[in-house]
PDB file of all heavy atoms in Angstrom:
ATOM      1  N   ASP B   1      90.696  76.508  90.200  1.00 66.00           N
ATOM      2  CA  ASP B   1      91.596  77.155  91.258  1.00 66.00           C
ATOM      3  C   ASP B   1      92.258  78.306  90.497  1.00 66.00           C
ATOM      4  O   ASP B   1      92.766  78.211  89.373  1.00 66.00           O
ATOM      5  CB  ASP B   1      92.649  76.154  91.653  1.00 66.00           C
ATOM      6  CG  ASP B   1      93.262  76.651  93.010  1.00 66.00           C
ATOM      7  OD1 ASP B   1      92.770  77.557  93.562  1.00 66.00           O
ATOM      8  OD2 ASP B   1      94.287  75.980  93.292  1.00 66.00           O
ATOM      9  N   VAL B   2      92.353  79.511  91.079  1.00 67.00           N
ATOM     10  CA  VAL B   2      92.980  80.728  90.431  1.00 67.00           C
ATOM     11  C   VAL B   2      94.375  80.556  90.233  1.00 67.00           C
ATOM     12  O   VAL B   2      95.163  79.750  91.145  1.00 67.00           O
ATOM     13  CB  VAL B   2      92.778  81.953  91.306  1.00 67.00           C
ATOM     14  CG1 VAL B   2      91.209  82.219  91.347  1.00 67.00           C
ATOM     15  CG2 VAL B   2      93.249  81.769  92.724  1.00 67.00           C
ATOM     16  N   LYS B   3      94.932  81.055  89.139  1.00 89.00           N
ATOM     17  CA  LYS B   3      96.399  80.755  88.766  1.00 89.00           C
ATOM     18  C   LYS B   3      97.038  82.086  88.203  1.00 89.00           C
ATOM     19  O   LYS B   3      96.473  82.663  87.458  1.00 89.00           O
ATOM     20  CB  LYS B   3      96.424  79.542  87.945  1.00 89.00           C
ATOM     21  CG  LYS B   3      96.734  78.367  88.400  1.00 89.00           C
ATOM     22  CD  LYS B   3      97.118  77.284  87.483  1.00 89.00           C
ATOM     23  CE  LYS B   3      97.589  76.020  88.062  1.00 89.00           C
ATOM     24  NZ  LYS B   3      97.740  74.956  87.197  1.00 89.00           N
ATOM     25  N   VAL B   4      98.344  82.035  88.605  1.00 95.00           N
ATOM     26  CA  VAL B   4      99.237  82.994  88.005  1.00 95.00           C
ATOM     27  C   VAL B   4     100.382  82.082  87.414  1.00 95.00           C
ATOM     28  O   VAL B   4     101.061  81.427  88.215  1.00 95.00           O
ATOM     29  CB  VAL B   4      99.879  84.054  88.880  1.00 95.00           C
ATOM     30  CG1 VAL B   4     100.790  84.892  88.064  1.00 95.00           C
ATOM     31  CG2 VAL B   4      98.764  84.896  89.384  1.00 95.00           C
ATOM     32  N   THR B   5     100.462  81.951  86.131  1.00 96.00           N
ATOM     33  CA  THR B   5     101.560  80.986  85.515  1.00 96.00           C
ATOM     34  C   THR B   5     102.628  81.793  84.930  1.00 96.00           C
ATOM     35  O   THR B   5     102.517  82.688  83.982  1.00 96.00           O
ATOM     36  CB  THR B   5     100.825  80.155  84.531  1.00 96.00           C
ATOM     37  OG1 THR B   5      99.702  79.504  85.099  1.00 96.00           O
ATOM     38  CG2 THR B   5     101.775  79.108  83.948  1.00 96.00           C
ATOM     39  N   GLN B   6     103.915  81.503  85.324  1.00 95.00           N
ATOM     40  CA  GLN B   6     105.091  81.974  84.779  1.00 95.00           C
ATOM     41  C   GLN B   6     105.595  80.858  83.777  1.00 95.00           C
ATOM     42  O   GLN B   6     105.635  79.632  84.096  1.00 95.00           O
ATOM     43  CB  GLN B   6     106.090  82.438  85.730  1.00 95.00           C
ATOM     44  CG  GLN B   6     105.679  83.541  86.583  1.00 95.00           C
ATOM     45  CD  GLN B   6     106.593  84.113  87.509  1.00 95.00           C
ATOM     46  OE1 GLN B   6     106.309  84.332  88.782  1.00 95.00           O
ATOM     47  NE2 GLN B   6     107.772  84.340  87.148  1.00 95.00           N
ATOM     48  N   SER B   7     106.006  81.301  82.623  1.00 88.00           N
ATOM     49  CA  SER B   7     106.391  80.261  81.529  1.00 88.00           C
ATOM     50  C   SER B   7     107.469  79.414  81.880  1.00 88.00           C
ATOM     51  O   SER B   7     107.573  78.304  81.445  1.00 88.00           O
ATOM     52  CB  SER B   7     106.549  81.028  80.231  1.00 88.00           C
ATOM     53  OG  SER B   7     107.577  81.978  80.492  1.00 88.00           O
ATOM     54  N   SER B   8     108.579  79.806  82.573  1.00 91.00           N
ATOM     55  CA  SER B   8     109.565  78.992  82.853  1.00 91.00           C
ATOM     56  C   SER B   8     109.869  79.074  84.416  1.00 91.00           C
ATOM     57  O   SER B   8     109.872  80.085  84.963  1.00 91.00           O
ATOM     58  CB  SER B   8     110.789  79.486  82.119  1.00 91.00           C
ATOM     59  OG  SER B   8     110.643  79.526  80.673  1.00 91.00           O
ATOM     60  N   ARG B   9     110.362  77.961  84.863  1.00 93.00           N
ATOM     61  CA  ARG B   9     110.800  77.947  86.365  1.00 93.00           C
ATOM     62  C   ARG B   9     112.276  78.192  86.506  1.00 93.00           C
ATOM     63  O   ARG B   9     112.703  78.877  87.409  1.00 93.00           O
ATOM     64  CB  ARG B   9     110.535  76.595  86.905  1.00 93.00           C
ATOM     65  CG  ARG B   9     110.592  76.470  88.454  1.00 93.00           C
ATOM     66  CD  ARG B   9     109.789  75.362  88.991  1.00 93.00           C
ATOM     67  NE  ARG B   9     110.172  75.228  90.557  1.00 93.00           N
ATOM     68  CZ  ARG B   9     109.396  75.936  91.353  1.00 93.00           C
ATOM     69  NH1 ARG B   9     108.469  76.790  91.082  1.00 93.00           N
ATOM     70  NH2 ARG B   9     109.716  75.744  92.662  1.00 93.00           N
ATOM     71  N   TYR B  10     113.007  77.747  85.459  1.00 96.00           N
ATOM     72  CA  TYR B  10     114.451  77.963  85.424  1.00 96.00           C
ATOM     73  C   TYR B  10     114.865  78.482  83.963  1.00 96.00           C
ATOM     74  O   TYR B  10     114.209  77.897  83.043  1.00 96.00           O
ATOM     75  CB  TYR B  10     115.207  76.799  85.803  1.00 96.00           C
ATOM     76  CG  TYR B  10     115.120  76.415  87.343  1.00 96.00           C
ATOM     77  CD1 TYR B  10     114.214  75.253  87.521  1.00 96.00           C
ATOM     78  CD2 TYR B  10     115.693  76.947  88.226  1.00 96.00           C
ATOM     79  CE1 TYR B  10     114.030  74.928  88.864  1.00 96.00           C
ATOM     80  CE2 TYR B  10     115.587  76.467  89.613  1.00 96.00           C
ATOM     81  CZ  TYR B  10     114.661  75.536  89.869  1.00 96.00           C
ATOM     82  OH  TYR B  10     114.478  75.149  91.157  1.00 96.00           O
ATOM     83  N   LEU B  11     115.767  79.383  83.972  1.00 96.00           N
ATOM     84  CA  LEU B  11     116.132  79.966  82.587  1.00 96.00           C
ATOM     85  C   LEU B  11     117.652  80.187  82.763  1.00 96.00           C
ATOM     86  O   LEU B  11     118.038  80.840  83.590  1.00 96.00           O
ATOM     87  CB  LEU B  11     115.278  81.047  82.263  1.00 96.00           C
ATOM     88  CG  LEU B  11     114.955  81.495  80.922  1.00 96.00           C
ATOM     89  CD1 LEU B  11     114.342  80.311  80.045  1.00 96.00           C
ATOM     90  CD2 LEU B  11     113.886  82.719  80.742  1.00 96.00           C
ATOM     91  N   VAL B  12     118.312  79.848  81.618  1.00 97.00           N
ATOM     92  CA  VAL B  12     119.746  80.169  81.535  1.00 97.00           C
ATOM     93  C   VAL B  12     120.041  80.904  80.178  1.00 97.00           C
ATOM     94  O   VAL B  12     119.609  80.331  79.162  1.00 97.00           O
ATOM     95  CB  VAL B  12     120.625  78.922  81.567  1.00 97.00           C
ATOM     96  CG1 VAL B  12     122.175  79.386  81.474  1.00 97.00           C
ATOM     97  CG2 VAL B  12     120.405  78.089  82.901  1.00 97.00           C
ATOM     98  N   LYS B  13     120.546  82.049  80.282  1.00 97.00           N
ATOM     99  CA  LYS B  13     120.768  82.912  79.078  1.00 97.00           C
ATOM    100  C   LYS B  13     122.173  83.358  79.031  1.00 97.00           C
ATOM    101  O   LYS B  13     122.826  83.447  80.109  1.00 97.00           O
ATOM    102  CB  LYS B  13     119.788  84.086  79.032  1.00 97.00           C
ATOM    103  CG  LYS B  13     118.284  83.600  78.996  1.00 97.00           C
ATOM    104  CD  LYS B  13     118.045  82.979  77.524  1.00 97.00           C
ATOM    105  CE  LYS B  13     116.726  82.606  77.370  1.00 97.00           C
ATOM    106  NZ  LYS B  13     116.285  81.981  76.061  1.00 97.00           N
ATOM    107  N   ARG B  14     122.564  83.796  77.811  1.00 97.00           N
ATOM    108  CA  ARG B  14     123.996  84.432  77.804  1.00 97.00           C
ATOM    109  C   ARG B  14     123.837  85.900  77.715  1.00 97.00           C
ATOM    110  O   ARG B  14     122.823  86.520  77.304  1.00 97.00           O
ATOM    111  CB  ARG B  14     124.469  84.084  76.317  1.00 97.00           C
ATOM    112  CG  ARG B  14     124.714  82.596  76.123  1.00 97.00           C
ATOM    113  CD  ARG B  14     125.981  82.085  76.951  1.00 97.00           C
ATOM    114  NE  ARG B  14     126.285  80.709  76.780  1.00 97.00           N
ATOM    115  CZ  ARG B  14     127.166  80.044  77.525  1.00 97.00           C
ATOM    116  NH1 ARG B  14     127.829  80.711  78.413  1.00 97.00           N
ATOM    117  NH2 ARG B  14     127.256  78.702  77.419  1.00 97.00           N
ATOM    118  N   THR B  15     124.934  86.532  78.225  1.00 97.00           N
ATOM    119  CA  THR B  15     125.086  87.937  78.148  1.00 97.00           C
ATOM    120  C   THR B  15     124.710  88.590  76.817  1.00 97.00           C
ATOM    121  O   THR B  15     125.205  88.057  75.882  1.00 97.00           O
ATOM    122  CB  THR B  15     126.518  88.428  78.814  1.00 97.00           C
ATOM    123  OG1 THR B  15     126.677  87.946  79.975  1.00 97.00           O
ATOM    124  CG2 THR B  15     126.497  89.940  78.816  1.00 97.00           C
ATOM    125  N   GLY B  16     123.841  89.682  76.791  1.00 97.00           N
ATOM    126  CA  GLY B  16     123.653  90.309  75.414  1.00 97.00           C
ATOM    127  C   GLY B  16     122.364  89.746  74.818  1.00 97.00           C
ATOM    128  O   GLY B  16     121.742  90.319  73.874  1.00 97.00           O
ATOM    129  N   GLU B  17     121.975  88.656  75.258  1.00 97.00           N
ATOM    130  CA  GLU B  17     120.638  87.986  74.706  1.00 97.00           C
ATOM    131  C   GLU B  17     119.421  88.749  75.056  1.00 97.00           C
ATOM    132  O   GLU B  17     119.406  89.455  76.116  1.00 97.00           O
ATOM    133  CB  GLU B  17     120.456  86.605  75.148  1.00 97.00           C
ATOM    134  CG  GLU B  17     121.272  85.517  74.470  1.00 97.00           C
ATOM    135  CD  GLU B  17     120.759  84.177  74.830  1.00 97.00           C
ATOM    136  OE1 GLU B  17     119.590  83.701  74.241  1.00 97.00           O
ATOM    137  OE2 GLU B  17     121.390  83.407  75.470  1.00 97.00           O
ATOM    138  N   LYS B  18     118.360  88.749  74.212  1.00 97.00           N
ATOM    139  CA  LYS B  18     117.115  89.325  74.507  1.00 97.00           C
ATOM    140  C   LYS B  18     116.185  88.304  75.164  1.00 97.00           C
ATOM    141  O   LYS B  18     116.237  87.106  74.661  1.00 97.00           O
ATOM    142  CB  LYS B  18     116.347  89.859  73.299  1.00 97.00           C
ATOM    143  CG  LYS B  18     115.141  90.715  73.645  1.00 97.00           C
ATOM    144  CD  LYS B  18     114.662  91.494  72.344  1.00 97.00           C
ATOM    145  CE  LYS B  18     113.561  92.345  72.705  1.00 97.00           C
ATOM    146  NZ  LYS B  18     113.100  93.117  71.400  1.00 97.00           N
ATOM    147  N   VAL B  19     115.689  88.545  76.408  1.00 97.00           N
ATOM    148  CA  VAL B  19     114.974  87.614  77.181  1.00 97.00           C
ATOM    149  C   VAL B  19     113.632  88.025  77.347  1.00 97.00           C
ATOM    150  O   VAL B  19     113.401  89.155  77.745  1.00 97.00           O
ATOM    151  CB  VAL B  19     115.704  87.460  78.552  1.00 97.00           C
ATOM    152  CG1 VAL B  19     115.023  86.385  79.407  1.00 97.00           C
ATOM    153  CG2 VAL B  19     117.238  86.993  78.349  1.00 97.00           C
ATOM    154  N   PHE B  20     112.654  87.103  77.316  1.00 97.00           N
ATOM    155  CA  PHE B  20     111.264  87.326  77.523  1.00 97.00           C
ATOM    156  C   PHE B  20     110.882  86.393  78.681  1.00 97.00           C
ATOM    157  O   PHE B  20     110.977  85.163  78.660  1.00 97.00           O
ATOM    158  CB  PHE B  20     110.370  86.982  76.267  1.00 97.00           C
ATOM    159  CG  PHE B  20     110.607  87.899  75.148  1.00 97.00           C
ATOM    160  CD1 PHE B  20     111.601  87.689  74.254  1.00 97.00           C
ATOM    161  CD2 PHE B  20     109.785  89.004  74.896  1.00 97.00           C
ATOM    162  CE1 PHE B  20     111.866  88.456  73.168  1.00 97.00           C
ATOM    163  CE2 PHE B  20     110.103  89.843  73.903  1.00 97.00           C
ATOM    164  CZ  PHE B  20     111.106  89.663  72.944  1.00 97.00           C
TER     165      PHE B  20
END
Side-chain angles (χ1 to χ4, degrees):
Chain B
D1 200 13
V2 295
K3 260 191 175 174
V4 178
T5 303
Q6 294 184 231
S7 53
S8 304
R9 191 158 173 85
Y10 298 95
L11 209 53
V12 180
K13 295 293 181 181
R14 295 285 180 189
T15 302
E17 279 192 74
K18 190 169 185 175
V19 180
F20 292 86

